[in-house]
Amino acid sequence: MDLDAFLALLTPLGQKALAEASELAGADPVAAATRLRRTYDASLTSAALTQAGLRARAKVKFGADAELMYFTPHGLEQSTHADVAAHRAARLTGSLRVVDVCCGVGGDFLALARAGHTIDAVDLDPLTAAVAAANADALGLSSRVTVRTGDAADVDPSGHDVLFADPARRTSRGRTFDPQSYSPPWPVVLGLLERSRAACLKVAPGLPYEFIPEDAEAEWVSHRGEVKEAALWTGALARRTAQRTSDEHPWRRATLLPGGHTLTPTGATAAVGPMARYVYEPDGAAIRAHLVAEVADLVQGHLADPMIAYITSDAAVGTPWAARYEVHETLPFSLKRLRSTLRTRQIGNVTIKKRGSAVDIERLRSDLRLSGDKSAVVILTRIMDKPFALLCSPCPPA
C-alpha cells in the first residue's frame, strides 16, 4: 500500500470499499478480491483488503479502537500495546507539551493525548505520518495532536516539556538488536535525550546495560506474561529506584501489566542450594531487570545454579512475579531415562521448557515417542554445570 492508495481509502468511496472489505474478513482472499473488483479498481481493492486484514490483527493490541484505526504492516508490528501505552502515559502528570519523534502509527501519542497532553508527532515516512494523522482524526483526538513528516535528528526537543522517542528497530534485512542500527542511530537518540527536559525512550527489552544512560531509569514491561519492551525515563520522569553502589545500573524496574505490579532493587542476593519441592520461573521482566534475587526473596527460595534464572523453594508462595511448578523427579538428563520415566508415569503430553540447555525441544519431543493420557511439564536446565530434566506439574497461578 503506497501513500496515494492510502489517501484514497480516506475518501467517501474508499470508506465504502473498506466497509465492504471488513465484512468479507475471513473469506477466501481470491473471492473477496473478485467481489470488490466488481465495484472498485485494483489499487483501492488491494488497499481496502489489506487494511481490513490489519484491523483484524490489531484487535489484540488496540481492542475496539482497531475497528476505527489505520495501519501499515510494519507500523502494527512495532506499535505499542494499548495497555502499555496507557501505563506510560499515566506517568506524565498535568497537561504537557510532548514531542513524539518516530511516532509510527500513533499508538503512544493516542494514549498521551487521551491523558490530556498536547502532541507534536513526527515520522520520517510520509505514509506512516499520514496513517498516524488519520488515527488521531478517527479517534477524535486531532485537536490535541499535530502530525508531520520529518527527521527525528532535526527535532529540537528543548521547546517541549517531554520527549517521547521510539526509534525504528528494523532495517532492510529485518529486525535489528543493535542500537547503533536503530533509525535514528543511537548517538542521535542520545543527543535528543541530552537536549530534552524529560524523556521516555522506548527500546527493545534486550538492550545491553552499557547503552543505558547513567542517570536514566530503565523499566522492563511484561504484559500478560510476555516481555513487550523496555522504556528509559530521564529528567523529571525518572524515578530513582536505588542508590548507586556498583557499576551495574541501579535505577531499574520491572512492571507487570495489566495488574500494575512493580519490582525494584532491594539489595537482595540469591543463595545457591539443592533442588527443593517447587521450582519458580520468574517473569521475563524481572529477569531482564536483573531482579531474580528479589523474586527469590518473595518465594523464600534460592537458585539451584548461580547462572540460571530458575528459583527453587519448599515454600508454596503465590506471586505474580513467578510461575510455580511442583517437582516430582529430578533426573540427570538422558533421553533414554527421560523417555522411560514418562512412559512409566503414562505421560503422553508434555510442555517442555528450557533454560541453560542446548537441547532442540521439537526434536526431543519427537524422540520421546510419548504415549499415555496424562500431562506433565519437563524443564531442561543446568544444575552446577550438569544437565538435568525436572519432571513437574504446574501449580495454580497467584
Side-chain angles (χ1 to χ4, degrees):
M1 180 176 60
D2 59 22
L3 179 57
D4 288 340
F6 174 71
L7 295 177
L9 276 182
L10 304 181
T11 66
L13 183 65
Q15 291 294 290
K16 183 179 177 182
L18 182 53
E20 292 182 25
S22 298
E23 292 176 359
L24 295 171
D28 176 76
V30 175
T34 300
R35 179 172 172 178
L36 289 182
R37 281 295 304 273
R38 294 171 186 164
T39 307
Y40 310 102
D41 63 30
S43 177
L44 188 55
T45 293
S46 177
L49 289 172
T50 297
Q51 201 57 233
L54 291 171
R55 282 182 169 182
R57 287 167 47 196
K59 289 180 181 179
V60 174
K61 283 189 174 183
F62 293 95
D65 282 347
E67 297 177 4
L68 301 175
M69 293 175 66
Y70 300 91
F71 303 95
T72 65
H74 288 167
L76 175 57
E77 179 183 351
Q78 191 166 326
S79 61
T80 302
H81 192 287
D83 288 350
V84 180
H87 162 73
R88 282 203 295 254
R91 287 186 64 159
L92 279 64
T93 58
S95 180
L96 303 177
R97 295 168 299 148
V98 181
V99 57
D100 181 355
V101 299
C102 317
C103 70
V105 298
D108 283 286
F109 74 55
L110 293 174
L112 291 165
R114 282 172 166 164
H117 307 296
T118 301
I119 317 299
D120 176 17
V122 182
D123 199 276
L124 183 62
D125 178 51
L127 172 59
T128 302
V131 170
N135 284 334
D137 187 56
L139 297 179
L141 297 169
S142 55
S143 64
R144 289 192 172 274
V145 178
T146 301
V147 183
R148 58 189 172 89
T149 301
D151 191 333
D154 297 330
V155 173
D156 180 6
S158 64
H160 297 77
D161 299 308
V162 175
L163 164 72
F164 185 90
D166 179 10
R169 295 179 292 281
R170 177 175 289 277
T171 69
S172 59
R173 296 185 297 275
R175 186 183 296 273
T176 180
F177 298 97
D178 178 8
Q180 302 292 1
S181 297
Y182 284 4
S183 180
W186 195 248
V188 174
V189 172
L190 293 181
L192 290 170
L193 293 183
E194 290 172 359
R195 298 195 304 275
S196 65
R197 304 177 188 178
C200 176
L201 171 61
K202 174 182 169 183
V203 295
L207 181 76
Y209 267 43
E210 59 264 28
F211 284 93
I212 301 175
E214 182 177 355
D215 293 329
E217 174 202 343
E219 178 186 26
W220 284 264
V221 178
S222 178
H223 184 265
R224 301 191 184 281
E226 181 182 353
V227 183
K228 292 295 185 180
E229 59 197 47
L232 305 183
W233 301 90
T234 67
L237 294 177
R239 297 172 182 168
R240 304 306 184 213
T241 60
Q243 295 297 317
R244 181 173 296 280
T245 57
S246 69
D247 291 337
E248 183 183 31
H249 198 288
W251 297 327
R252 58 194 191 279
R253 179 187 306 271
T255 297
L256 302 183
L257 297 178
H261 307 283
T262 189
L263 191 65
T264 58
T266 63
T269 58
V272 178
M275 183 61 61
R277 179 178 178 182
Y278 300 103
V279 62
Y280 290 82
E281 181 181 24
D283 185 90
I287 295 173
R288 292 286 191 181
H290 294 189
L291 296 172
V292 172
E294 281 73 8
V295 178
D297 262 6
L298 293 176
V299 302
Q300 304 166 42
H302 56 267
L303 301 178
D305 184 284
M307 303 304 294
I308 305 295
Y310 282 129
I311 299 164
T312 186
S313 174
D314 284 322
V317 179
T319 174
W321 287 104
R324 177 166 55 98
Y325 302 91
E326 185 171 7
V327 180
H328 302 295
E329 288 196 52
T330 301
L331 310 170
F333 181 74
S334 157
L335 173 61
K336 183 177 179 180
R337 184 171 181 178
L338 179 58
R339 182 164 53 206
S340 175
T341 300
L342 294 174
R343 286 180 176 177
T344 299
R345 290 176 172 267
Q346 300 179 0
I347 294 170
N349 180 51
V350 294
T351 298
I352 303 176
K353 294 175 169 288
K354 73 171 187 175
R355 185 165 291 149
S357 170
V359 173
D360 183 300
I361 289 179
E362 293 310 314
R363 180 173 179 178
L364 174 63
R365 191 186 303 278
S366 174
D367 290 343
L368 287 173
R369 300 196 293 273
L370 298 170
S371 63
D373 58 0
K374 297 180 181 179
S375 299
V377 175
V378 173
I379 296 177
L380 307 176
T381 189
R382 290 198 323 267
I383 300 178
M384 305 311 291
D385 289 330
K386 295 182 179 179
F388 279 81
L390 312 180
L391 185 60
C392 310
S393 58
C395 299

